[in-house]
Amino acid sequence: MYLTRFRLNTARAGSRHLLASPQRMHAAVMSSFADVLPGDPHAPRVLWRIDRNSRAEALLFIVSEQRPDLTHLVEQAGWPTTAAWQTYEYTSFLDGLAKGGIWDFRLTANPVHHVRRSTDEIRKRTAHRTPRHQMGWLLDRQERAGFRVLETPAERRRLAQGDEHQLTVRDEQRHRFGKTDTGTGLANRVPLVTVTFDGRLEITDPELLRRTLTLGLGKAKAYGCGLMTLAAASGGTR
């Protein structure tokens, strides 16, 4: 497994073109693998995520089985003569994860649930709209994903509700794009709501967490969702 990091040059039109569309970014990411043909249903799993740290800093992260070649992205949306990308061997890091380890994490996800307004209506997938419900979506999945989000000590909680965990949600993005139904051939407009979670976790099941880090968490993985990354726990409490 490989973890790749690439900084996009947000001053370039090509970069802004990609950042405006999860579909275009997905196509650019998949073009980084010489053996993957466009639209191949058997293509290996590739996770990616955009971190928008500021107006001038947007980072692309990729987790993949194959080592990617991002030359086309450097030429279109980077600094062709002065900077490239960094790819790291990821397997040894994954193998070193141990139960009880404390890590800071980041995850961009598509928190959804299924609702129906009446008993005879088909259940429809709907995005969670509030930070409280978006956090609840992640907390409901933490055990099956191999970790638990740490609780905030009572003396450090600032709110009566919603501040119980070392977890924040930010950078909500809303997209709507065309997609053709493979069964009917009909085109429709697909809404996509994504949010980014930052928090601190404890590993409860290393094997399950390895699956989460390499296979992703939640829906819309082709559109930049599901990729969780870990970093050494920083000092203090979030």
Side-chain angles (χ1 to χ4, degrees), residues 23 26-27 37 41-42 44 46 54 57 101 110 162 164 180 201 217 230:
Q23 281 182 312
H26 169 70
L37 297 176
H42 305 294
V46 175
S54 69
E57 185 180 47
N110 170 226
E164 297 90 350
T180 301
L201 61 77
L217 183 62
L230 304 181

Side-chain angles (χ1 to χ4, degrees), residues 25 45 55 73 97 100 105 193:
M25 187 64 77
R45 169 77 70 187
R55 288 178 61 88
L73 279 172
L97 296 175
F105 73 88
V193 177

Side-chain angles (χ1 to χ4, degrees), residues 151-165:
E151 294 185 359
T152 304
E155 65 275 11
R156 296 192 179 222
R157 296 178 187 177
R158 295 167 292 178
L159 304 173
Q161 189 177 42
D163 198 24
E164 297 90 350
H165 294 85

Side-chain angles (χ1 to χ4, degrees), residues 109-115 124-141 169 172-174 192-195 197:
N110 170 226
V112 296
H113 61 136
H114 291 83
V115 298
K124 295 181 178 180
R125 185 185 299 171
T126 304
H128 284 298
R129 297 292 185 175
T130 67
R132 178 185 172 189
H133 289 101
Q134 290 162 349
M135 290 183 188
W137 174 91
L138 179 59
L139 294 172
D140 286 344
R141 286 156 177 78
V169 59
E172 181 173 304
Q173 300 283 326
R174 300 191 180 196
L192 175 67
V193 177
T194 69
V195 297
F197 298 98

